[in-house]
Amino acid sequence: MSNGNFKLNSYNLFLNSKNRDSDYYNYVSSGTPNYLSYCGWNLKQIIKKTSPFSYFTISVKSLILPFSFDNISTLNKSFVFTYLATPYTINVEEGNPNITQLITDIKNKILIAVPTILTTELVFTYLSASQTISIYNNTGNTMTFGFGSNNFIGTMLGFSSDIIINTGNTISSSTNINVNPLECIFVRSDNLSFSSSYESIVGKNNISDIISIIPITVSSGNYIVYNDSSAFESRLNDDRIDNISLYLTSAVDDDHLLALFLNWTIQIQINEYKNDNSLIEKIDLNPITQNKTEEGMEAKENNEEITFLKNKEKELEKTLNELMLKKKLKNK
């Protein structure tokens, strides 16, 4: 850190999901347990501030994560298809389909939901040159694809809102298709107190709990490998850390946990910094009053440091007494 801050201590935590002490499956809004995407680890050695004027920061230095989770999951697989004024909920198959598999699945699910529509009356066509699809309606009635209610599926097909197709008409994608809309992973923590991080998708709180954003640069079935020795550090309000709780979400929203089925490893770094300019400097034309101000601030800082050291001494004395008591009991 710069701006007059210097590092007092640095702690590196190497965490693996298979060695987690707890998982928070009850958190998942869908009700489906995602044990591996929401893990907690109890630290064998508690991390405490060593100065009353210091603060902690946290960052992700490395992450190794199998790309075993699905683009289409329980939370984003449904959209509403309306035909003859009747809405039908279409549930797309969960997984990582290519565009041909996706449009085939959607068509089959619509034909099952509305048996009166013949296979020749609803035609999906993939245009590889323009990276778009077209949908042809030859049923004799208007149909509506409610991609506005699920923009995730709409984005995969190249549509940003609901589309209405009249009989005999064809509608093509307004943008390029994107069957891999998960461009990054958010590493978050819900048990730490963040100081000044904000994000646009948070509705319940202005403060963000994101520690790092991990880009996805590989296809499904590979390992997502992230390394950044100079990773951004988020400032914390915590005075002590005895547990680390992490959860991984997609960029869809802050409640969309990844559906993980394989273990992952992460390196977390916690740094303790102290402000080198502890004294608040005030410009005063009178050197006498300026000196008195600085002396007062210095005395205050010294008193706070003495109090801090006394509290530390009490903690150590208490621990020593407990150890002596245990030894006496053991000897009896």
Side-chain angles (χ1 to χ4, degrees):
M1 301 286 286
S2 57
N3 298 326
N5 300 326
F6 65 93
K7 188 185 298 183
L8 293 176
N9 295 290
S10 185
Y11 307 90
N12 285 289
L13 309 178
F14 298 91
L15 308 172
N16 190 296
S17 60
K18 69 180 178 182
N19 298 322
R20 65 192 183 278
D21 294 296
S22 56
D23 39 49
Y24 299 84
Y25 56 89
N26 290 327
Y27 168 86
V28 186
S29 57
S30 66
T32 303
N34 283 347
Y35 300 102
L36 293 179
S37 61
Y38 202 136
C39 301
W41 296 266
N42 297 325
L43 303 186
K44 294 187 177 7
Q45 182 176 350
I46 299 174
I47 299 175
K48 299 180 181 179
K49 284 171 53 174
T50 58
S51 168
F53 305 102
S54 65
Y55 61 88
F56 288 126
T57 66
I58 188 170
S59 61
V60 175
K61 296 301 181 183
S62 63
L63 173 72
I64 301 176
L65 177 73
F67 194 165
S68 60
F69 49 90
D70 297 332
N71 277 300
I72 301 176
S73 67
T74 305
L75 297 178
N76 59 26
K77 68 179 183 179
S78 302
F79 71 92
V80 177
F81 173 79
T82 304
Y83 186 70
L84 290 175
T86 302
Y88 301 88
T89 299
I90 305 300
N91 293 313
V92 181
E93 199 70 28
E94 296 179 29
N96 294 298
N98 59 38
I99 187 60
T100 303
Q101 293 169 331
L102 179 60
I103 59 179
T104 299
D105 179 46
I106 291 176
K107 177 178 177 177
N108 290 338
K109 296 291 173 58
I110 291 175
L111 295 180
I112 292 172
V114 193
T116 57
I117 299 178
L118 303 178
T119 185
T120 55
E121 295 177 330
L122 177 60
V123 180
F124 287 79
T125 304
Y126 168 52
L127 306 172
S128 58
S130 60
Q131 288 293 293
T132 59
I133 68 163
S134 64
I135 307 176
Y136 173 59
N137 173 19
N138 194 33
T139 62
N141 297 286
T142 298
M143 59 177 61
T144 302
F145 290 79
F147 295 138
S149 62
N150 185 350
N151 190 245
F152 193 85
I153 297 296
T155 298
M156 297 181 82
L157 299 175
F159 298 102
S160 58
S161 60
D162 292 355
I163 59 170
I164 300 174
I165 311 177
N166 296 319
T167 178
N169 285 355
T170 300
I171 286 188
S172 298
S173 306
S174 55
T175 61
N176 288 356
I177 61 167
N178 181 9
V179 290
N180 293 294
L182 300 182
E183 74 276 9
C184 64
I185 296 167
F186 292 154
V187 180
R188 300 173 179 268
S189 177
D190 67 336
N191 76 316
L192 298 175
S193 176
F194 291 83
S195 175
S196 57
S197 296
Y198 304 89
E199 62 179 293
S200 60
I201 65 174
V202 171
K204 58 182 180 242
N205 199 323
N206 287 329
I207 300 294
S208 172
D209 61 0
I210 294 176
I211 301 174
S212 181
I213 298 178
I214 311 299
I216 300 177
T217 58
V218 296
S219 57
S220 177
N222 294 286
Y223 277 92
I224 298 170
V225 179
Y226 169 84
N227 286 287
D228 188 357
S229 59
S230 60
F232 170 78
E233 300 177 44
S234 295
R235 182 164 175 167
L236 302 176
N237 292 323
D238 303 85
D239 291 332
R240 54 179 280 157
I241 301 171
D242 54 12
N243 176 275
I244 293 288
S245 173
L246 301 177
Y247 65 108
L248 307 180
T249 70
S250 75
V252 178
D253 58 62
D254 61 328
D255 288 335
H256 186 170
L257 286 172
L258 299 181
L260 297 180
F261 303 100
L262 298 175
N263 285 301
W264 49 281
T265 303
I266 191 169
Q267 177 193 358
I268 294 288
Q269 186 173 90
I270 296 174
N271 291 324
E272 181 184 9
Y273 292 96
K274 183 178 179 182
N275 193 332
D276 197 20
N277 301 318
S278 299
L279 294 177
I280 300 176
E281 298 181 1
K282 293 186 177 181
I283 299 176
D284 196 319
L285 296 178
N286 189 330
I288 298 177
T289 57
Q290 182 178 350
N291 290 336
K292 287 183 178 180
T293 300
E294 291 179 353
E295 289 172 2
M297 292 299 298
E298 188 173 326
K300 181 181 178 182
E301 180 174 334
N302 289 336
N303 288 335
E304 290 182 357
E305 286 201 9
I306 290 171
T307 303
F308 178 78
L309 291 173
K310 284 184 177 179
N311 291 335
K312 294 286 287 186
E313 185 179 1
K314 288 180 181 179
E315 286 184 16
L316 291 172
E317 185 177 353
K318 181 181 178 182
T319 303
L320 181 60
N321 290 334
E322 290 175 351
L323 290 173
M324 292 178 67
L325 180 61
K326 287 181 180 178
K327 186 176 181 181
K328 288 181 180 179
L329 293 173
K330 185 178 180 181
N331 291 335
K332 288 182 178 181

